[in-house]
Amino acid sequence: MAVGTVDVAATAWGRLRRIIGSPAGLRIFSFVLLLSVWSLATTADPSGQVLPAPWVVLDTLWYHLNEEGLLFHLGVTLWRVAAAFFGAMVIGVALGILMGARRRADIVLDGWHILFLNMPALVLIILCYVWFGLTEVAAIVAVALNKIPNVVVTVREGTRAVDRELLDVARVFRVDRRTTFLRFFLPQLYPYVMAAARGGIALIWKIVLVVELLGRSNGVGFKLHEFFQLFDIAAVLAYTLAFVVIMMVIEYGVMAPLERRFTRWR
Amino acid sequence: MAVTAGLSVDIRRKRFAGDGRTPPHTAIENLQFDVPVGQFCCLLGPSGCGKTTLLNIAAGLDHDVDGSVGIPSDDTGSRPAVSYMFQTPRLLPWMSVRDNVDIVLDPGARAEGHGVRLLERMELGSYLDAYPTRLSGGQRRRVALARAFAIRPALLLLDEPFVSLDQPVGNRLREILLDQWQAQPTTVLFVTHDLDEAIFLGDRILFLSQPPSRVVQDVAVDLARPRTPGSPAIHAFRTGLLDRHGGLLAGLAGATTDPGHSTP
């Protein structure tokens, strides 16, 4: 009898330990830990102005969602992120392949590449606004220009690592150029393109906010600037939260399934 | 498609310019031979004697050569299909077995299921939708073999395709190769450093020298087909050959028992 009770307790404890120790359990634990530290930290600020509690932020989020057009500003920012992202990926992948495959092109473009790679984001933004005016196009070009050099680095590396032996197969069997490119060459680049895309989206949305802060009259960056001037920290955190949630949805809903599809054959 | 002329090789010199790390060296010099249409010709030589280089030239992968390789031409006048089975299968890992063969076919042959028929002949019918990573080494080589025959080549080049397989798997693949070659006759240039393999497969064996390569012996294999790997007939042929040309083939006989044999 006593032995049986001990067994039940032991298995229940064991089960609990397994749940907490599982990856999902650890993620939940990590999240709860964040909330706890945050809540604890708010006690150091009795005014609630400098660091609002998690529930205050949620409440503010709800308010802005319903009354203050949060979705509109979020949508505008997302559109800019998407435009700059696709622009930067298309141009960056093309340049990366060119520079990886053609030595002459690499030598010619390398200096420019290093220049843009090391140009501070802020400088590019200021120059774009000064030269092209405070327009939507200038904003998106500024963001794309910041990202293109990073895409080039990754894709050029991938192009250099391409297996020439497989391309020789295409040559021997006289596969046409289009099929060679799409079916023999590009699949070898997918891991690199995916890596560039992942890093790209995270970098781009951060730069988009700066661009909006400096020269746009809508979008998350513009709103954050406004809240900063009003010292509305709860709203700043509410917008941040909303955007982070959206970026996580993109990561798990778009990027991860795409990557699984491209690497199915492994 | 009637093929009217065989393969003719006439290479005066093939030189690799060094690039700092590797010194320049001459791989082939004064290498001349002809292979009649439909002949199964084996090229036998020590490792590093320029056999792969020769196949690359014949396949059109390497144009930097002093000399010419005339590939079998047909009466249509267009450049007929040359196909190449490499030392490693070189399959595309992101494509199914079926697509790996179909990708090299023109749309017509693909539509009539020519690739699938060949794969079925190679006993791969139940692996059509598998990815190459799931296959064994022998199966991958059968896919590569199906791909090589799929384009109905006028010239088939094979570069030690069955090296590093164990004996039974290798023998089975050699039988499949001969079956397919008899069903679909074509001119074959088969590179190997294994004398028994050459005797089992070939109508003729060309022995190449240490680099710079040239032909040192041209032997017709007049054994009746079908032959049996490791049979007394093959053994006797080998012994006779080594007796007659022992001096010339001394270096090579060593190479057949020691695949790691390399040139200084």
Side-chain angles (χ1 to χ4, degrees), chain A residues 73-228:
Chain A
H73 293 288
L74 219 54
V76 168
T77 298
L78 263 183
W79 182 83
R80 286 176 190 137
V81 168
F85 174 76
F86 285 110
M89 286 306 289
V90 168
I91 295 170
V93 167
L95 281 175
I97 290 174
L98 181 71
M99 291 173 74
R102 296 270 180 272
R103 205 175 131 62
R104 283 162 175 279
D106 192 33
I107 294 170
V108 170
L109 295 175
D110 198 43
W112 303 11
H113 180 222
I114 291 172
L115 177 74
F116 276 94
L117 198 59
N118 291 296
M119 182 105 71
L122 200 50
V123 173
L124 279 171
I125 295 167
I126 290 171
L127 290 179
C128 278
Y129 274 149
V130 169
W131 290 339
F132 307 119
L134 291 176
T135 61
E136 197 65 34
V137 175
I140 289 165
V141 167
V143 178
L145 279 180
N146 272 297
K147 178 55 194 169
I148 288 171
N150 302 55
V151 180
V152 168
V153 169
T154 314
V155 173
R156 179 172 63 179
E157 214 48 56
T159 306
R160 284 176 181 161
V162 156
D163 186 351
R164 309 271 153 192
E165 296 200 333
L166 290 180
L167 299 183
D168 278 351
V169 172
R171 274 176 73 197
V172 168
F173 288 95
R174 284 186 283 164
V175 176
D176 62 80
R177 291 177 75 91
R178 186 167 170 273
T179 312
T180 303
F181 180 74
L182 292 178
R183 309 287 308 268
F184 285 73
F185 179 79
L186 262 194
Q188 303 194 49
L189 278 192
Y190 285 155
Y192 295 89
V193 173
M194 284 309 291
R198 280 245 166 100
I201 229 160
L203 179 73
I204 279 176
W205 93 263
K206 289 172 193 179
I207 299 175
V208 163
L209 295 203
V210 180
V211 168
E212 289 175 340
L213 183 147
L214 286 177
R216 300 275 76 207
S217 52
N218 50 30
V220 175
F222 167 76
K223 292 300 282 182
L224 288 178
H225 187 47
E226 199 178 279
F227 299 140
F228 170 57

Side-chain angles (χ1 to χ4, degrees), chain A residues 165 171 174 183 187-188 265, chain B residues 61 79-80 90 93-94 133:
Chain A
E165 296 200 333
R171 274 176 73 197
R174 284 186 283 164
R183 309 287 308 268
Q188 303 194 49
W265 50 272
Chain B
L61 290 177
R79 186 179 183 269
R90 296 203 194 174
W94 48 86
T133 39

